[in-house]
Coordinates of all heavy atoms in Angstrom, one line a residue:
A1 N 104.2 97.4 114.1 CA 104.5 98.6 113.3 C 106.0 99.0 113.4 O 106.6 99.3 112.5 CB 103.5 99.7 113.6
L2 N 106.4 99.0 114.7 CA 107.8 99.4 114.9 C 108.8 98.5 114.2 O 109.8 98.9 113.7 CB 108.1 99.5 116.4 CG 107.4 100.6 117.2 CD1 107.5 100.4 118.7 CD2 108.0 102.0 116.8
L3 N 108.5 97.2 114.3 CA 109.4 96.2 113.7 C 109.4 96.3 112.2 O 110.3 95.8 111.5 CB 108.9 94.8 114.1 CG 109.2 94.5 115.6 CD1 108.6 93.1 115.9 CD2 110.6 94.5 115.9
C4 N 108.3 96.9 111.6 CA 108.3 97.1 110.1 C 109.5 98.1 109.7 O 109.9 98.0 108.6 CB 107.0 97.7 109.7 SG 105.6 96.5 109.8
H5 N 109.9 98.9 110.6 CA 111.0 99.9 110.4 C 112.3 99.2 110.8 O 113.1 99.8 111.6 CB 110.8 101.2 111.1 CG 109.6 101.9 110.6 ND1 109.6 102.6 109.4 CD2 108.3 102.1 111.1 CE1 108.4 103.2 109.2 NE2 107.6 102.9 110.2
A6 N 112.6 98.1 110.2 CA 113.8 97.3 110.6 C 115.1 98.0 110.3 O 116.0 97.8 111.1 CB 113.8 96.0 109.8
S7 N 115.1 98.8 109.3 CA 116.4 99.5 109.0 C 116.8 100.6 110.1 O 117.9 101.0 110.2 CB 116.3 100.3 107.7 OG 115.4 101.4 107.7
Q8 N 115.8 100.9 110.9 CA 116.0 101.9 112.0 C 116.3 101.3 113.3 O 116.6 102.0 114.3 CB 114.8 102.8 112.1 CG 114.4 103.5 110.8 CD 115.6 104.2 110.2 OE1 116.2 105.1 110.7 NE2 116.0 103.7 109.0
Q9 N 116.3 99.9 113.3 CA 116.6 99.2 114.5 C 115.9 99.7 115.8 O 116.5 100.0 116.8 CB 118.2 99.2 114.8 CG 118.9 98.7 113.6 CD 120.4 98.7 113.8 OE1 120.9 98.6 115.0 NE2 121.2 98.8 112.8
V10 N 114.6 99.8 115.6 CA 113.7 100.2 116.8 C 113.4 99.0 117.6 O 112.6 98.2 117.2 CB 112.4 100.9 116.3 CG1 111.6 101.4 117.4 CG2 112.8 102.1 115.3
H11 N 114.0 98.9 118.8 CA 113.8 97.8 119.6 C 113.5 98.2 121.1 O 113.6 99.4 121.4 CB 115.1 96.9 119.7 CG 115.5 96.4 118.3 ND1 114.7 95.6 117.5 CD2 116.6 96.7 117.6 CE1 115.4 95.4 116.4 NE2 116.5 96.0 116.4
G12 N 113.2 97.2 121.9 CA 113.0 97.5 123.3 C 111.6 97.9 123.7 O 110.7 98.0 122.8
P13 N 111.4 98.1 125.0 CA 110.0 98.4 125.5 C 109.6 99.8 125.1 O 110.5 100.7 124.8 CB 110.2 98.2 127.0 CG 111.6 98.5 127.2 CD 112.3 98.0 126.1
F14 N 108.3 100.1 125.2 CA 107.8 101.4 124.9 C 106.7 101.6 125.9 O 106.1 100.7 126.5 CB 107.4 101.6 123.5 CG 106.4 100.6 123.0 CD1 105.0 100.7 123.3 CD2 106.8 99.5 122.3 CE1 104.1 99.8 122.8 CE2 105.9 98.5 121.8 CZ 104.5 98.7 122.1
A15 N 106.4 102.9 126.1 CA 105.3 103.3 127.1 C 104.0 102.8 126.6 O 103.7 102.9 125.4 CB 105.3 104.8 127.4
L16 N 103.1 102.4 127.5 CA 101.8 102.0 127.2 C 100.8 103.1 127.4 O 99.6 102.9 127.2 CB 101.4 100.8 128.1 CG 102.2 99.5 127.9 CD1 101.7 98.4 128.8 CD2 102.2 99.1 126.4
L17 N 101.3 104.3 127.7 CA 100.5 105.5 127.7 C 101.1 106.5 126.7 O 102.4 106.7 126.7 CB 100.5 106.1 129.1 CG 99.8 105.3 130.2 CD1 100.0 106.0 131.5 CD2 98.3 105.1 129.9
E18 N 100.3 107.1 125.8 CA 100.8 108.2 125.0 C 100.3 109.5 125.5 O 99.0 109.6 125.7 CB 100.4 107.9 123.5 CG 101.2 106.8 122.9 CD 100.9 106.6 121.4 OE1 100.0 107.3 120.9 OE2 101.5 105.7 120.8
H19 N 101.1 110.5 125.6 CA 100.7 111.8 126.1 C 100.7 112.8 125.0 O 101.6 112.8 124.1 CB 101.7 112.2 127.2 CG 101.8 111.3 128.4 ND1 100.8 111.2 129.3 CD2 102.7 110.4 128.7 CE1 101.1 110.3 130.2 NE2 102.3 109.8 129.9
Y20 N 99.7 113.7 125.1 CA 99.6 114.8 124.1 C 99.3 116.1 124.8 O 98.6 116.1 125.9 CB 98.4 114.4 123.2 CG 98.7 113.2 122.3 CD1 98.4 111.9 122.8 CD2 99.3 113.3 121.1 CE1 98.6 110.8 122.1 CE2 99.5 112.2 120.3 CZ 99.2 110.9 120.8 OH 99.5 109.8 120.1
F21 N 99.7 117.1 124.2 CA 99.4 118.5 124.6 C 98.4 119.1 123.7 O 98.6 119.1 122.4 CB 100.7 119.4 124.6 CG 100.5 120.8 124.8 CD1 100.1 121.3 126.0 CD2 100.6 121.7 123.7 CE1 99.9 122.7 126.2 CE2 100.3 123.1 123.9 CZ 100.0 123.5 125.1
R22 N 97.3 119.6 124.2 CA 96.2 120.1 123.3 C 96.6 121.5 123.0 O 96.5 122.5 123.8 CB 94.9 120.1 124.1 CG 93.7 120.2 123.1 CD 92.4 119.9 123.9 NE 92.0 120.9 124.8 CZ 91.0 120.8 125.6 NH1 90.3 119.7 125.7 NH2 90.7 121.8 126.4
A23 N 97.1 121.8 121.7 CA 97.5 123.1 121.3 C 96.4 124.0 120.8 O 96.5 125.2 121.0 CB 98.6 122.9 120.2
L24 N 95.4 123.4 120.2 CA 94.3 124.2 119.7 C 93.0 123.4 120.0 O 93.0 122.2 119.9 CB 94.4 124.4 118.2 CG 95.6 125.2 117.7 CD1 95.7 125.2 116.2 CD2 95.5 126.6 118.2
D25 N 91.9 124.1 120.3 CA 90.7 123.4 120.7 C 89.5 124.4 120.5 O 89.5 125.6 120.8 CB 90.7 123.0 122.2 CG 89.4 122.5 122.7 OD1 89.0 121.4 122.1 OD2 88.8 123.1 123.5
T26 N 88.4 123.8 119.9 CA 87.2 124.6 119.8 C 86.0 123.9 120.6 O 84.9 124.5 120.6 CB 86.7 124.7 118.4 OG1 86.4 123.4 117.8 CG2 87.8 125.4 117.5
T27 N 86.3 122.8 121.3 CA 85.2 122.1 121.9 C 84.9 122.6 123.3 O 83.8 122.5 123.8 CB 85.5 120.6 122.1 OG1 86.6 120.4 123.0 CG2 85.9 120.0 120.7
G28 N 85.9 123.1 124.0 CA 85.8 123.6 125.4 C 85.7 122.5 126.4 O 85.4 122.7 127.6

């Protein structure tokens, strides 16, 4: 997917973990 954005020259390694902050939640 990153290589599909060829005009942006997105190259190199990337993290194998994606981190998120839970801003809103109703599940508890």
Side-chain angles (χ1 to χ4, degrees):
L2 290 170
L3 292 175
C4 290
H5 293 285
S7 69
Q8 305 310 295
Q9 302 180 29
V10 180
H11 303 297
F14 54 84
L16 297 180
L17 297 175
E18 287 185 357
H19 300 286
Y20 295 87
F21 169 74
R22 197 169 75 186
L24 299 171
D25 172 65
T26 62
T27 67

